[in-house]
Amino acid sequence: MDQIDMKILSILHDNARITVSEISRMIAMSQPAVTERLRRLEEREVITGYRAQISPSKLGKYTTAFVLFKSNHCKEFEAFSEAAPEIVDFYRTSGEFNYLLKVVTETGETLETFLEACNAYGFSTTLVVLSTRFEDKNPLTAHETSNIIPWVQSGDNERKR
C-alpha cells in the first residue's frame, strides 16, 4: 500500500459517497486507475465496507455509555450482547475486565434497565458520556497522506498552486 492508496482511503473515510471521478480529480489520477486501486483495496480487505453515519439522537437515543464488563460466562454474555440492540460496539479486552461495550439508549432509565439485564452474566462499571469531542477519527494521519500531490490538502476540493 502506497501513499496514493492512503490518500484514497483518507478521502473515502471523510466521504464514502464520493464518486470515483471526484477522487480521480482530487489526486490527479485516471478513473480506471482509481477504480483498480479501490478493487485491490477491497480484495485485500483494507476496505471492508461503505456505510452511512447515523445520528443516535435523531433516532431518539440520547444516552451513550461505555461499559467495562467482567464475566465468567463469556459465551453466554457474547450471545446476549450480539442480540442486544443497545450495544453498538463490542470489544474483548485484557486486564481486569473481559469486555468493553459502547451502549446507546434512549434515556438514563433505559440504560439502567439494560445494565440490570447484563447483571445475569457478571458485573460492570459504567461510564456515561457527557459530551463527545470527536468520533470515528480517521486512522490515517495527515503526514501519511499529504505528500502525494502538493496542491491537494485533506478535505480540500480545490487545487491550490
Side-chain angles (χ1 to χ4, degrees):
M1 194 160 54
D2 61 14
Q3 285 197 328
I4 295 171
D5 288 341
M6 300 283 237
K7 182 64 179 177
I8 290 169
L9 292 171
S10 183
I11 291 167
L12 285 171
H13 183 272
D14 292 340
N15 179 7
R17 292 186 62 181
I18 193 167
T19 64
V20 171
S21 63
E22 183 67 13
I23 296 171
S24 299
R25 189 186 68 71
M26 291 175 74
I27 65 171
M29 182 176 273
S30 72
Q31 289 183 31
V34 170
T35 300
E36 179 61 21
R37 283 178 175 270
L38 287 169
R39 185 190 62 73
R40 283 195 316 247
L41 289 166
E42 290 167 353
E43 283 178 354
R44 292 183 3 230
E45 296 181 345
V46 174
I47 296 175
T48 57
Y50 302 85
R51 67 177 110 185
Q53 290 183 317
I54 299 169
S55 170
S57 65
K58 298 293 184 184
L59 301 175
K61 298 182 184 229
Y62 299 101
T63 303
T64 300
F66 288 91
V67 179
L68 291 163
F69 200 85
K70 185 173 186 176
S71 178
N72 289 327
H73 310 285
C74 293
K75 295 292 181 203
E76 294 86 356
F77 181 66
E78 289 176 12
F80 165 82
S81 297
E82 183 88 24
E86 298 88 352
I87 301 174
V88 296
D89 289 319
F90 183 83
Y91 303 96
R92 180 70 191 237
T93 60
S94 64
E96 181 180 348
F97 293 91
N98 308 74
Y99 301 99
L100 172 65
L101 322 172
K102 182 177 180 183
V103 177
V104 179
T105 65
E106 292 82 3
T107 64
E109 291 80 19
T110 55
L111 174 61
E112 180 180 12
T113 300
F114 167 77
L115 293 171
E116 287 172 358
C118 290
N119 286 341
Y121 304 98
F123 69 92
S124 64
T125 296
T126 303
L127 306 163
V128 175
V129 174
L130 301 177
S131 65
T132 303
R133 300 298 184 256
F134 59 84
E135 257 183 334
D136 196 31
K137 187 176 179 181
N138 189 337
L140 299 169
T141 66
H143 175 72
E144 291 173 315
T145 62
S146 65
N147 295 328
I148 64 162
I149 310 284
W151 63 82
V152 176
Q153 300 297 317
S154 180
D156 190 4
N157 292 329
E158 298 298 322
R159 291 182 182 195
K160 294 181 181 176
R161 298 180 196 256

